[in-house]
Structure formats: structure tokens, C-alpha cells
């Protein structure tokens, strides 16, 4: 598991200076605390999987999930 995976997405998946970062992280935290597997991204309207769900799934799918808890998530989803 990636260090800090429960609270922090990898910086390549959610920039530290993203204008909606606080809202996104708040939605993620509320969804995780409620035991939900997803939340809705406030900017795009896309459904986003929570770190808790991804950890319980048990593997990295290499699709660039914002909250992927696995070490492989440290790789750039666009490749080398």
C-alpha cells in the first residue's frame, strides 16, 4: 500500500493546487466514512472510486484511479 493512501491521492491524480481540492477531498472523506464506494467529482460530474473501495478490491487495475492505494499508482498513468 502507498503511504498515506487513506487521506491523500497521488499528486499526479489530484494536484496540490487544484482549485476544488478541498471540496474533492471532503467528498472523498464523507463517502469513505459512510462506507460508500464512490462519490461524484464536483467539477466533472464523473463517479470516482474511493480509496477504501479500491483497497478492499485488492489490486491495482492500472487505469489511473485518483485514490488508488497501491504502490503501482505511483507510476504516471500516461506511461514513461
Amino acid at each position: 500500500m502507498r503511504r498515506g493512501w487513506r487521506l491523500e491521492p497521488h499528486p499526479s491524480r489530484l494536484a496540490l493546487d487544484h482549485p476544488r481540492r478541498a471540496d474533492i477531498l471532503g467528498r472523498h472523506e464523507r463517502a469513505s466514512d459512510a462506507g460508500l464506494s464512490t462519490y461524484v467529482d464536483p467539477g466533472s460530474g464523473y463517479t470516482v472510486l474511493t480509496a477504501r473501495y479500491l483497497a478492499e478490491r485488492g489490486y491495482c487495475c492500472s487505469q489511473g484511479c485518483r485514490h488508488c492505494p497501491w504502490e503501482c499508482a505511483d507510476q504516471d498513468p500516461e506511461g514513461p
Side-chain angles (χ1 to χ4, degrees), residues 2-77:
R2 187 174 49 78
R3 185 178 182 165
W5 65 271
R6 286 187 176 101
L7 300 176
E8 286 292 321
H10 191 275
S12 70
R13 310 289 165 73
L14 183 63
L16 295 173
D17 62 350
H18 189 287
R20 294 191 172 183
R21 181 178 175 82
D23 188 15
I24 290 168
L25 293 178
R27 287 173 183 238
H28 177 257
E29 182 178 7
R30 288 188 298 278
S32 294
D33 289 350
L36 301 175
S37 58
T38 64
Y39 67 93
V40 176
D41 180 86
S44 67
Y46 293 149
T47 298
V48 181
L49 298 169
T50 64
R52 178 181 175 167
Y53 169 80
L54 294 168
E56 289 173 357
R57 183 174 65 181
Y59 64 92
C60 176
C61 66
S62 301
Q63 296 300 307
C65 300
R66 178 181 284 163
H67 298 285
C68 184
W70 305 103
E71 289 291 338
C72 61
D74 291 340
Q75 299 171 6
D76 184 348

